[in-house]
Amino acid sequence: MAAAEFAAAYIALFTAHHAADYLTQSDRMSARKAGWTEQGADGKPVRHTGWGANQLHAATHSVAELLTLGLLATVVHLSLPVWSVTAAVVWIHLTHSLIDRRWPVRAWMCRTGAGGFVRRGGMPLVDQSMHLVFGLFPAALLIAGGA
């Protein structure tokens, strides 16, 4: 029956991911989560790390995941062990935080011969693929393995 838990968990995580990335993320958060530079009062550039915006965004994912998995467990009477859900949410939080720094996406694309795709605006597509492949898929496996 682990296949059913995997499928259900993946769909719930996929739904939560889209809600957190597209319905709740502001333009300001998106622009700042990888770090940014602005002009200081003295006219010199001031570099910000962006970790605050990054962690706030990752936390919205964690909340969305917990809500969707809780709803899934309640509505379809699916038993989801707390330890596996916790491990999955932590895994997604960590991978999402790293991928959203943007340098891993750019590095992946440049090392795999897709540097031209970066220049044509393809980073958001690869970003989303990385979240699904490296974040959600392993997290759903963690949940199904514990169920």
Side-chain angles (χ1 to χ4, degrees):
M1 190 54 90
E5 281 87 358
F6 170 81
Y10 191 83
I11 290 168
L13 294 172
F14 186 81
T15 301
H17 174 82
H18 280 78
D21 253 9
Y22 299 112
L23 298 177
T24 64
Q25 182 175 207
S26 68
D27 289 343
R28 181 179 172 94
M29 188 181 297
S30 177
R32 292 176 175 230
K33 65 187 179 185
W36 76 98
T37 304
E38 64 186 352
Q39 185 175 344
D42 59 359
K44 295 180 181 176
V46 177
R47 173 84 176 135
H48 300 276
T49 66
W51 278 111
N54 179 287
Q55 291 304 295
L56 179 60
H57 175 59
T60 64
H61 277 270
S62 299
V63 170
E65 292 150 15
L66 291 170
L67 289 173
T68 57
L69 290 169
L71 184 63
L72 172 70
T74 302
V75 172
V76 301
H77 307 290
L78 185 62
S79 177
L80 299 175
V82 172
W83 76 266
S84 61
V85 168
T86 302
V89 170
V90 168
W91 175 254
I92 293 173
H93 185 99
L94 294 172
T95 59
H96 203 94
S97 296
L98 178 62
I99 292 166
D100 275 6
R101 295 304 287 182
R102 296 195 179 108
W103 67 262
V105 178
R106 182 175 283 107
W108 178 279
M109 293 176 76
C110 291
R111 284 189 177 85
T112 59
F117 196 38
V118 171
R119 290 184 295 282
R120 292 189 305 276
M123 280 186 58
L125 299 172
V126 175
D127 168 277
Q128 289 302 303
S129 296
M130 291 178 89
H131 289 309
L132 299 177
V133 172
F134 300 120
L136 276 59
F137 187 81
L141 287 174
L142 280 168
I143 291 171

